[in-house]
Amino acid sequence: MRRTSFATTRRLAATGIALLLLAAAGTAAPARAAEPGGPAPLGQVVPAPASVRPGGDPYEITARTAVRVPPGNPEAARIGGYLAGLLRPSTGYRLPVLPGGTDGPGIRLVLDEGEGGSGGEGYRLSVTSRSVTISAREGAGLFHGVQTLRQLLPARAGSTARQPGPWTVAGGVVTDAPRYGYRGAMLDVARHFFTVDQVKRYVDQLALYKYNALHLHLSDDQGWRIAVDAWPRLAAHGGSTQVGGGPGGFYSKDDYREIVRHAASRYVTVVPEIDMPGHTNAALASYARLNCDGVARPLYTGTEVGFSSLCVAKPDTYDFVEDVVGELAALTPGPYLHIGGDEAHSTGPADYAAFMDRVQPVVARHGKTVIGWHQLAGARPAPGALLQYWGYGGTGAAERDRVAAAARAGAGLILSPADRAYLDMKYTKDTPLGLSWAGLVEVRQSYDWDPGGYLAGVPAAAVAGVEAPLWTETISTSAQLEYMAFPRLAGIAELGWSPPATHDWAAYRVRLAAQGPRWDELGITYYRSPQVPWLVT
Ligand code: ACM
């Protein structure tokens, strides 16, 4: 799937220069992203920063540039090392990471309590001819500032092969902080299994757009993907296949810890999901005693939903829940545990509510906050629970109202409307992958909505954030995953991060177009939507 050769890069630069000349001559050309060979305008970043003040001379990274970090701060030093590690291959420069001297020239990472106004994830990036300074109250803010800096460099800075300079960053000040505290992406590793390395690759892609949560859908009818010591057949048997009958797979506890560790290094929190009481065939196949009739179900490799249910009346069910939730909570440093709860069509409403009344306190006892799909609103959401709304145009008013009422009663909401945020929906009828039950979701459709006002009757403060789920019934490789995620992943990130005042499709599509060459450099496969003015075809 890779990519731009050196010669192509030069051609891109030449094309860009021609475009700039056209623009300079006052030709009424459509809005265009800046040419990929040169420095990006200061505001040409996705997600759009809260505030951009261009001005002053640019900064140029040269062979003499150092990355300066506060002394005695391993976290800042690690972020400095990460940035230098990203830029060394393409620039060919040494880019030493030096503790101290953060008032000296170079790229400076500064931890500053005074940046508290922008919160732990906010940052300020200021560029003069002498330095690029990223200041933040916490490491997360420094890290997000580094992502902004990456987008202000020429796209070829993302190359793993040495590229020609200059490495120029436009002058001025960006002041930035997220709109929402929860900005997630979900990966369904149950329908098709994805390896630790594939998940880590996706985490790195999420980090580009300042996502801070990776929701792993770890269990479903077709597969159980996490080792549970007390119930070993869940992974050994329940994880032994996938949609279409492939070999499946599962994460050992060390595998899962490695995903958590890598995600944390990118300021991404892992949110594990065990989907219950429906979507449980893999568990029901692994243990006969989880079934009401005591008979184990066969493994399932199809794509129907709604046929499985844990046995709500059986004590074994709650032994299972206790062990699974307990072990998963112990492995998970993040605050959330997702208990699914969607499409429990084989569980009666009273049983569903009774089940959730027993399961939610188990999650709390293990120190985690419940997230559930929005059907949890039909039971009694625990205090502090978050509901993940995945409705679409076809969702009835009664269901929407139930979710809004739960939000007014104190539940938080994560917005993942399927006809906007589902990355597995086809872009057009010709998209070779994906599904279309919620509609066709082109790039504009995915971007052009407001999480704050999306569901009528929901107080603005109830909205915790957004999430972009990627279900994998039709997806089994990283290239397929990326094709469905990009470009929509960037748009959902912007909805979660950027202030509503920046929301503007016409401006967004130009900033988005500038991401294309960056994805080319990173070897990311993406859908070249005709709605976006990509620079080259
Ligand atoms: C879902 O799409 N069933 C949450």
Short mmCIF file of all heavy atoms in Angstrom, two decimals, residues 219-278:
data_model
loop_
_atom_site.label_atom_id
_atom_site.label_comp_id
_atom_site.label_asym_id
_atom_site.label_seq_id
_atom_site.Cartn_x
_atom_site.Cartn_y
_atom_site.Cartn_z
N SER A 219 -15.62 -9.46 23.32
CA SER A 219 -16.38 -10.70 23.28
C SER A 219 -17.64 -10.50 22.46
O SER A 219 -18.24 -9.42 22.47
CB SER A 219 -16.77 -11.14 24.70
OG SER A 219 -17.71 -10.25 25.24
N ASP A 220 -18.00 -11.54 21.75
CA ASP A 220 -19.26 -11.51 21.00
C ASP A 220 -19.64 -12.95 20.67
O ASP A 220 -18.99 -13.89 21.14
CB ASP A 220 -19.14 -10.63 19.74
CG ASP A 220 -20.46 -9.94 19.42
OD1 ASP A 220 -21.46 -10.66 19.21
OD2 ASP A 220 -20.51 -8.70 19.40
N ASP A 221 -20.68 -13.10 19.87
CA ASP A 221 -21.11 -14.46 19.53
C ASP A 221 -19.99 -15.25 18.85
O ASP A 221 -19.86 -16.45 19.06
CB ASP A 221 -22.32 -14.38 18.60
CG ASP A 221 -23.55 -13.86 19.33
OD1 ASP A 221 -23.76 -14.26 20.49
OD2 ASP A 221 -24.29 -13.04 18.75
N GLN A 222 -19.18 -14.58 18.06
CA GLN A 222 -18.20 -15.28 17.22
C GLN A 222 -16.85 -15.48 17.87
O GLN A 222 -16.01 -16.20 17.34
CB GLN A 222 -18.02 -14.50 15.90
CG GLN A 222 -19.29 -14.37 15.10
CD GLN A 222 -20.14 -13.17 15.52
OE1 GLN A 222 -19.90 -12.56 16.56
NE2 GLN A 222 -21.15 -12.84 14.71
N GLY A 223 -16.60 -14.79 18.99
CA GLY A 223 -15.27 -14.96 19.57
C GLY A 223 -15.13 -14.33 20.95
O GLY A 223 -15.72 -13.28 21.22
N TRP A 224 -14.32 -14.99 21.78
CA TRP A 224 -13.96 -14.46 23.10
C TRP A 224 -12.46 -14.21 23.05
O TRP A 224 -11.68 -15.12 22.78
CB TRP A 224 -14.30 -15.47 24.20
CG TRP A 224 -14.06 -14.91 25.56
CD1 TRP A 224 -12.84 -14.77 26.16
CD2 TRP A 224 -15.03 -14.40 26.46
NE1 TRP A 224 -13.00 -14.18 27.38
CE2 TRP A 224 -14.33 -13.94 27.60
CE3 TRP A 224 -16.42 -14.26 26.41
CZ2 TRP A 224 -14.98 -13.37 28.70
CZ3 TRP A 224 -17.06 -13.70 27.50
CH2 TRP A 224 -16.35 -13.26 28.63
N ARG A 225 -12.04 -12.97 23.29
CA ARG A 225 -10.67 -12.58 22.94
C ARG A 225 -9.76 -12.24 24.11
O ARG A 225 -8.68 -11.66 23.88
CB ARG A 225 -10.72 -11.37 21.99
CG ARG A 225 -11.59 -11.57 20.75
CD ARG A 225 -11.13 -12.72 19.88
NE ARG A 225 -12.00 -12.86 18.70
CZ ARG A 225 -12.12 -13.99 18.03
NH1 ARG A 225 -11.44 -15.08 18.40
NH2 ARG A 225 -12.92 -14.06 16.99
N ILE A 226 -10.15 -12.53 25.35
CA ILE A 226 -9.28 -12.20 26.47
C ILE A 226 -9.19 -13.40 27.43
O ILE A 226 -10.22 -13.97 27.79
CB ILE A 226 -9.76 -10.92 27.21
CG1 ILE A 226 -8.84 -10.56 28.39
CG2 ILE A 226 -11.22 -11.05 27.68
CD1 ILE A 226 -7.50 -10.01 27.99
N ALA A 227 -7.96 -13.74 27.81
CA ALA A 227 -7.76 -14.86 28.73
C ALA A 227 -8.36 -14.53 30.09
O ALA A 227 -8.16 -13.43 30.62
CB ALA A 227 -6.26 -15.14 28.88
N VAL A 228 -9.11 -15.49 30.63
CA VAL A 228 -9.67 -15.37 31.98
C VAL A 228 -9.22 -16.62 32.73
O VAL A 228 -9.60 -17.74 32.36
CB VAL A 228 -11.21 -15.27 31.94
CG1 VAL A 228 -11.78 -15.21 33.36
CG2 VAL A 228 -11.66 -14.05 31.13
N ASP A 229 -8.41 -16.45 33.77
CA ASP A 229 -7.80 -17.61 34.44
C ASP A 229 -8.86 -18.55 35.01
O ASP A 229 -8.72 -19.77 34.93
CB ASP A 229 -6.88 -17.14 35.58
CG ASP A 229 -5.68 -16.37 35.05
OD1 ASP A 229 -5.32 -16.54 33.86
OD2 ASP A 229 -5.11 -15.57 35.82
N ALA A 230 -9.91 -17.98 35.59
CA ALA A 230 -10.90 -18.82 36.27
C ALA A 230 -11.79 -19.57 35.27
O ALA A 230 -12.44 -20.55 35.65
CB ALA A 230 -11.76 -17.96 37.20
N TRP A 231 -11.81 -19.13 34.03
CA TRP A 231 -12.66 -19.74 33.00
C TRP A 231 -11.83 -19.90 31.71
O TRP A 231 -12.07 -19.21 30.70
CB TRP A 231 -13.90 -18.85 32.73
CG TRP A 231 -14.79 -18.67 33.93
CD1 TRP A 231 -14.55 -17.94 35.05
CD2 TRP A 231 -16.09 -19.26 34.11
NE1 TRP A 231 -15.61 -18.03 35.93
CE2 TRP A 231 -16.57 -18.83 35.37
CE3 TRP A 231 -16.91 -20.11 33.33
CZ2 TRP A 231 -17.82 -19.22 35.87
CZ3 TRP A 231 -18.16 -20.49 33.82
CH2 TRP A 231 -18.60 -20.05 35.08
N PRO A 232 -10.87 -20.81 31.73
CA PRO A 232 -9.89 -20.85 30.63
C PRO A 232 -10.47 -21.21 29.27
O PRO A 232 -9.90 -20.85 28.24
CB PRO A 232 -8.88 -21.91 31.10
CG PRO A 232 -9.57 -22.68 32.17
CD PRO A 232 -10.55 -21.75 32.82
N ARG A 233 -11.59 -21.93 29.25
CA ARG A 233 -12.14 -22.31 27.94
C ARG A 233 -12.74 -21.12 27.18
O ARG A 233 -12.96 -21.20 25.96
CB ARG A 233 -13.19 -23.42 28.10
CG ARG A 233 -12.58 -24.82 28.18
CD ARG A 233 -13.65 -25.90 28.33
NE ARG A 233 -14.63 -25.95 27.25
CZ ARG A 233 -14.42 -26.54 26.06
NH1 ARG A 233 -13.25 -27.09 25.79
NH2 ARG A 233 -15.38 -26.56 25.14
N LEU A 234 -13.01 -20.02 27.89
CA LEU A 234 -13.55 -18.84 27.18
C LEU A 234 -12.63 -18.47 26.03
O LEU A 234 -13.06 -18.29 24.89
CB LEU A 234 -13.71 -17.66 28.14
CG LEU A 234 -14.80 -17.78 29.20
CD1 LEU A 234 -14.71 -16.61 30.19
CD2 LEU A 234 -16.19 -17.81 28.54
N ALA A 235 -11.33 -18.32 26.36
CA ALA A 235 -10.37 -17.95 25.31
C ALA A 235 -9.97 -19.16 24.48
O ALA A 235 -9.94 -19.10 23.24
CB ALA A 235 -9.14 -17.29 25.94
N ALA A 236 -9.68 -20.29 25.16
CA ALA A 236 -9.11 -21.45 24.44
C ALA A 236 -10.11 -22.02 23.43
O ALA A 236 -9.74 -22.38 22.31
CB ALA A 236 -8.70 -22.52 25.45
N HIS A 237 -11.37 -22.08 23.83
CA HIS A 237 -12.39 -22.59 22.91
C HIS A 237 -13.17 -21.43 22.27
O HIS A 237 -13.28 -21.35 21.04
CB HIS A 237 -13.35 -23.52 23.66
CG HIS A 237 -14.38 -24.16 22.78
ND1 HIS A 237 -14.06 -25.07 21.79
CD2 HIS A 237 -15.74 -24.00 22.73
CE1 HIS A 237 -15.16 -25.45 21.16
NE2 HIS A 237 -16.20 -24.82 21.71
N GLY A 238 -13.68 -20.53 23.11
CA GLY A 238 -14.48 -19.41 22.60
C GLY A 238 -13.70 -18.49 21.68
O GLY A 238 -14.29 -17.76 20.88
N GLY A 239 -12.36 -18.49 21.82
CA GLY A 239 -11.55 -17.62 20.96
C GLY A 239 -11.01 -18.32 19.74
O GLY A 239 -10.18 -17.74 19.00
N SER A 240 -11.49 -19.56 19.48
CA SER A 240 -10.82 -20.39 18.47
C SER A 240 -11.34 -20.20 17.05
O SER A 240 -10.92 -20.91 16.14
CB SER A 240 -10.91 -21.87 18.86
OG SER A 240 -12.27 -22.30 18.78
N THR A 241 -12.27 -19.25 16.87
CA THR A 241 -12.72 -19.00 15.50
C THR A 241 -13.17 -17.56 15.36
O THR A 241 -12.98 -16.74 16.28
CB THR A 241 -13.83 -20.00 15.10
OG1 THR A 241 -14.04 -19.92 13.68
CG2 THR A 241 -15.14 -19.72 15.84
N GLN A 242 -13.75 -17.23 14.24
CA GLN A 242 -14.21 -15.86 13.99
C GLN A 242 -15.20 -15.89 12.83
O GLN A 242 -15.52 -16.96 12.30
CB GLN A 242 -13.03 -14.94 13.67
CG GLN A 242 -12.21 -15.37 12.46
CD GLN A 242 -10.91 -14.55 12.30
OE1 GLN A 242 -10.58 -13.72 13.13
NE2 GLN A 242 -10.20 -14.82 11.22
N VAL A 243 -15.71 -14.72 12.44
CA VAL A 243 -16.64 -14.67 11.32
C VAL A 243 -15.99 -15.33 10.09
O VAL A 243 -14.82 -15.06 9.79
CB VAL A 243 -17.04 -13.21 10.99
CG1 VAL A 243 -17.72 -13.13 9.62
CG2 VAL A 243 -17.96 -12.65 12.07
N GLY A 244 -16.74 -16.20 9.45
CA GLY A 244 -16.22 -16.87 8.26
C GLY A 244 -15.41 -18.11 8.59
O GLY A 244 -15.01 -18.84 7.67
N GLY A 245 -15.13 -18.33 9.91
CA GLY A 245 -14.51 -19.58 10.31
C GLY A 245 -13.00 -19.59 10.34
O GLY A 245 -12.40 -20.65 10.38
N GLY A 246 -12.37 -18.46 10.33
CA GLY A 246 -10.90 -18.42 10.46
C GLY A 246 -10.47 -18.87 11.84
O GLY A 246 -11.29 -19.26 12.66
N PRO A 247 -9.15 -18.81 12.08
CA PRO A 247 -8.62 -19.34 13.34
C PRO A 247 -8.89 -18.48 14.57
O PRO A 247 -8.66 -18.92 15.69
CB PRO A 247 -7.11 -19.41 13.06
CG PRO A 247 -6.86 -18.37 12.02
CD PRO A 247 -8.10 -18.33 11.18
N GLY A 248 -9.35 -17.25 14.40
CA GLY A 248 -9.62 -16.42 15.57
C GLY A 248 -8.35 -16.07 16.31
O GLY A 248 -7.30 -15.81 15.70
N GLY A 249 -8.43 -16.13 17.63
CA GLY A 249 -7.28 -15.76 18.46
C GLY A 249 -7.77 -15.08 19.72
O GLY A 249 -8.96 -14.81 19.86
N PHE A 250 -6.85 -14.88 20.65
CA PHE A 250 -7.20 -14.15 21.88
C PHE A 250 -5.95 -13.51 22.45
O PHE A 250 -4.83 -13.87 22.06
CB PHE A 250 -7.86 -15.09 22.91
CG PHE A 250 -6.95 -16.16 23.45
CD1 PHE A 250 -6.16 -15.93 24.57
CD2 PHE A 250 -6.87 -17.40 22.82
CE1 PHE A 250 -5.31 -16.92 25.06
CE2 PHE A 250 -6.03 -18.39 23.31
CZ PHE A 250 -5.24 -18.16 24.42
N TYR A 251 -6.15 -12.55 23.34
CA TYR A 251 -5.04 -11.89 24.02
C TYR A 251 -4.75 -12.62 25.32
O TYR A 251 -5.66 -12.80 26.14
CB TYR A 251 -5.35 -10.42 24.31
CG TYR A 251 -5.76 -9.65 23.09
CD1 TYR A 251 -7.00 -9.02 23.00
CD2 TYR A 251 -4.91 -9.57 21.98
CE1 TYR A 251 -7.38 -8.34 21.87
CE2 TYR A 251 -5.30 -8.89 20.84
CZ TYR A 251 -6.54 -8.28 20.79
OH TYR A 251 -6.91 -7.61 19.66
N SER A 252 -3.50 -13.03 25.51
CA SER A 252 -3.09 -13.47 26.84
C SER A 252 -3.14 -12.23 27.74
O SER A 252 -3.23 -11.10 27.26
CB SER A 252 -1.68 -14.03 26.79
OG SER A 252 -0.76 -12.98 26.54
N LYS A 253 -3.01 -12.45 29.03
CA LYS A 253 -3.00 -11.28 29.92
C LYS A 253 -1.80 -10.38 29.62
O LYS A 253 -1.91 -9.16 29.69
CB LYS A 253 -3.04 -11.74 31.37
CG LYS A 253 -4.42 -12.29 31.74
CD LYS A 253 -4.60 -12.49 33.22
CE LYS A 253 -6.11 -12.66 33.50
NZ LYS A 253 -6.38 -12.91 34.93
N ASP A 254 -0.67 -11.01 29.28
CA ASP A 254 0.49 -10.18 28.92
C ASP A 254 0.26 -9.41 27.62
O ASP A 254 0.70 -8.27 27.49
CB ASP A 254 1.76 -11.04 28.82
CG ASP A 254 2.38 -11.31 30.19
OD1 ASP A 254 2.02 -10.58 31.15
OD2 ASP A 254 3.21 -12.22 30.30
N ASP A 255 -0.42 -10.04 26.68
CA ASP A 255 -0.76 -9.32 25.44
C ASP A 255 -1.60 -8.08 25.76
O ASP A 255 -1.36 -6.98 25.24
CB ASP A 255 -1.60 -10.20 24.50
CG ASP A 255 -0.81 -11.33 23.86
OD1 ASP A 255 0.43 -11.25 23.80
OD2 ASP A 255 -1.46 -12.29 23.40
N TYR A 256 -2.60 -8.31 26.59
CA TYR A 256 -3.51 -7.20 26.94
C TYR A 256 -2.73 -6.09 27.66
O TYR A 256 -2.92 -4.91 27.37
CB TYR A 256 -4.66 -7.73 27.80
CG TYR A 256 -5.69 -6.70 28.18
CD1 TYR A 256 -6.73 -6.36 27.31
CD2 TYR A 256 -5.63 -6.05 29.42
CE1 TYR A 256 -7.68 -5.41 27.66
CE2 TYR A 256 -6.58 -5.10 29.78
CZ TYR A 256 -7.60 -4.79 28.89
OH TYR A 256 -8.54 -3.84 29.25
N ARG A 257 -1.85 -6.52 28.60
CA ARG A 257 -1.03 -5.52 29.30
C ARG A 257 -0.17 -4.73 28.32
O ARG A 257 0.06 -3.53 28.50
CB ARG A 257 -0.11 -6.20 30.33
CG ARG A 257 -0.85 -6.72 31.55
CD ARG A 257 0.15 -7.23 32.61
NE ARG A 257 -0.55 -7.96 33.64
CZ ARG A 257 -0.61 -9.30 33.70
NH1 ARG A 257 0.03 -10.05 32.80
NH2 ARG A 257 -1.29 -9.89 34.66
N GLU A 258 0.31 -5.39 27.28
CA GLU A 258 1.14 -4.70 26.28
C GLU A 258 0.31 -3.67 25.51
O GLU A 258 0.78 -2.56 25.22
CB GLU A 258 1.78 -5.73 25.34
CG GLU A 258 2.56 -5.15 24.17
CD GLU A 258 3.73 -4.26 24.57
OE1 GLU A 258 4.15 -4.26 25.74
OE2 GLU A 258 4.21 -3.51 23.67
N ILE A 259 -0.92 -4.02 25.18
CA ILE A 259 -1.81 -3.05 24.53
C ILE A 259 -2.05 -1.87 25.46
O ILE A 259 -1.96 -0.70 25.05
CB ILE A 259 -3.13 -3.72 24.11
CG1 ILE A 259 -2.88 -4.73 22.99
CG2 ILE A 259 -4.16 -2.67 23.67
CD1 ILE A 259 -4.10 -5.60 22.65
N VAL A 260 -2.35 -2.17 26.72
CA VAL A 260 -2.62 -1.10 27.70
C VAL A 260 -1.39 -0.19 27.84
O VAL A 260 -1.51 1.04 27.86
CB VAL A 260 -3.01 -1.70 29.07
CG1 VAL A 260 -2.94 -0.65 30.18
CG2 VAL A 260 -4.40 -2.33 28.99
N ARG A 261 -0.20 -0.83 27.91
CA ARG A 261 1.03 -0.06 28.09
C ARG A 261 1.28 0.85 26.88
O ARG A 261 1.58 2.02 27.01
CB ARG A 261 2.22 -1.02 28.28
CG ARG A 261 3.54 -0.33 28.61
CD ARG A 261 4.73 -1.20 28.22
NE ARG A 261 4.77 -1.47 26.78
CZ ARG A 261 5.13 -0.58 25.85
NH1 ARG A 261 5.47 0.63 26.20
NH2 ARG A 261 5.12 -0.91 24.57
N HIS A 262 1.12 0.27 25.69
CA HIS A 262 1.37 1.06 24.49
C HIS A 262 0.35 2.20 24.38
O HIS A 262 0.70 3.34 24.06
CB HIS A 262 1.30 0.17 23.25
CG HIS A 262 1.62 0.92 22.00
ND1 HIS A 262 2.91 1.23 21.62
CD2 HIS A 262 0.81 1.46 21.06
CE1 HIS A 262 2.88 1.94 20.51
NE2 HIS A 262 1.63 2.09 20.13
N ALA A 263 -0.90 1.87 24.65
CA ALA A 263 -1.94 2.91 24.59
C ALA A 263 -1.62 4.03 25.58
O ALA A 263 -1.71 5.22 25.25
CB ALA A 263 -3.31 2.30 24.86
N ALA A 264 -1.21 3.66 26.79
CA ALA A 264 -0.90 4.68 27.80
C ALA A 264 0.24 5.58 27.33
O ALA A 264 0.24 6.79 27.57
CB ALA A 264 -0.54 4.02 29.13
N SER A 265 1.21 4.99 26.60
CA SER A 265 2.32 5.80 26.11
C SER A 265 1.85 6.81 25.06
O SER A 265 2.55 7.76 24.74
CB SER A 265 3.42 4.90 25.53
OG SER A 265 3.08 4.45 24.23
N ARG A 266 0.66 6.58 24.52
CA ARG A 266 0.05 7.51 23.56
C ARG A 266 -1.11 8.28 24.21
O ARG A 266 -1.95 8.84 23.52
CB ARG A 266 -0.46 6.75 22.33
CG ARG A 266 0.60 5.88 21.65
CD ARG A 266 1.74 6.69 21.08
NE ARG A 266 2.65 5.89 20.26
CZ ARG A 266 3.88 5.53 20.62
NH1 ARG A 266 4.36 5.89 21.82
NH2 ARG A 266 4.64 4.82 19.82
N TYR A 267 -1.19 8.24 25.53
CA TYR A 267 -2.24 8.94 26.28
C TYR A 267 -3.64 8.46 25.89
O TYR A 267 -4.59 9.22 25.83
CB TYR A 267 -2.06 10.46 26.21
CG TYR A 267 -0.78 10.83 26.91
CD1 TYR A 267 0.43 10.81 26.23
CD2 TYR A 267 -0.77 11.06 28.28
CE1 TYR A 267 1.63 11.05 26.89
CE2 TYR A 267 0.41 11.31 28.95
CZ TYR A 267 1.60 11.30 28.26
OH TYR A 267 2.77 11.52 28.92
N VAL A 268 -3.72 7.18 25.59
CA VAL A 268 -4.99 6.54 25.24
C VAL A 268 -5.31 5.51 26.35
O VAL A 268 -4.46 4.70 26.71
CB VAL A 268 -4.88 5.83 23.87
CG1 VAL A 268 -6.08 4.94 23.61
CG2 VAL A 268 -4.72 6.86 22.75
N THR A 269 -6.52 5.59 26.87
CA THR A 269 -6.99 4.68 27.91
C THR A 269 -7.74 3.53 27.26
O THR A 269 -8.61 3.77 26.42
CB THR A 269 -7.94 5.44 28.86
OG1 THR A 269 -7.23 6.50 29.47
CG2 THR A 269 -8.50 4.52 29.94
N VAL A 270 -7.44 2.30 27.68
CA VAL A 270 -8.17 1.16 27.14
C VAL A 270 -9.47 0.96 27.92
O VAL A 270 -9.47 0.96 29.16
CB VAL A 270 -7.31 -0.12 27.19
CG1 VAL A 270 -8.14 -1.34 26.81
CG2 VAL A 270 -6.11 0.02 26.25
N VAL A 271 -10.57 0.85 27.18
CA VAL A 271 -11.88 0.56 27.75
C VAL A 271 -12.28 -0.83 27.28
O VAL A 271 -12.64 -1.01 26.11
CB VAL A 271 -12.93 1.59 27.28
CG1 VAL A 271 -14.31 1.25 27.84
CG2 VAL A 271 -12.51 3.01 27.65
N PRO A 272 -12.19 -1.84 28.15
CA PRO A 272 -12.53 -3.20 27.71
C PRO A 272 -14.03 -3.41 27.76
O PRO A 272 -14.71 -2.90 28.66
CB PRO A 272 -11.84 -4.07 28.77
CG PRO A 272 -11.86 -3.25 30.02
CD PRO A 272 -11.76 -1.80 29.57
N GLU A 273 -14.55 -4.12 26.77
CA GLU A 273 -15.97 -4.46 26.79
C GLU A 273 -16.16 -5.97 26.79
O GLU A 273 -15.60 -6.69 25.96
CB GLU A 273 -16.69 -3.90 25.56
CG GLU A 273 -18.20 -4.30 25.54
CD GLU A 273 -18.93 -3.94 24.26
OE1 GLU A 273 -18.32 -3.27 23.38
OE2 GLU A 273 -20.10 -4.33 24.13
N ILE A 274 -16.98 -6.43 27.73
CA ILE A 274 -17.54 -7.77 27.69
C ILE A 274 -19.03 -7.56 27.46
O ILE A 274 -19.73 -7.00 28.31
CB ILE A 274 -17.29 -8.53 29.01
CG1 ILE A 274 -15.79 -8.69 29.28
CG2 ILE A 274 -18.00 -9.88 28.99
CD1 ILE A 274 -15.02 -9.52 28.25
N ASP A 275 -19.50 -7.98 26.30
CA ASP A 275 -20.89 -7.71 25.91
C ASP A 275 -21.80 -8.76 26.58
O ASP A 275 -21.61 -9.96 26.38
CB ASP A 275 -21.01 -7.75 24.38
CG ASP A 275 -22.24 -7.00 23.88
OD1 ASP A 275 -23.13 -6.66 24.68
OD2 ASP A 275 -22.28 -6.74 22.64
N MET A 276 -22.78 -8.27 27.35
CA MET A 276 -23.69 -9.15 28.11
C MET A 276 -25.08 -8.50 28.17
O MET A 276 -25.15 -7.28 28.15
CB MET A 276 -23.21 -9.31 29.56
CG MET A 276 -21.77 -9.70 29.74
SD MET A 276 -21.32 -9.82 31.49
CE MET A 276 -20.76 -8.17 31.88
N PRO A 277 -26.15 -9.21 28.36
CA PRO A 277 -26.28 -10.67 28.40
C PRO A 277 -26.40 -11.31 27.02
O PRO A 277 -26.26 -12.52 26.90
CB PRO A 277 -27.57 -10.88 29.19
CG PRO A 277 -28.41 -9.67 28.83
CD PRO A 277 -27.43 -8.54 28.66
N GLY A 278 -26.67 -10.49 25.97
CA GLY A 278 -26.68 -11.01 24.60
C GLY A 278 -25.27 -11.01 24.03
O GLY A 278 -24.29 -10.68 24.72
#
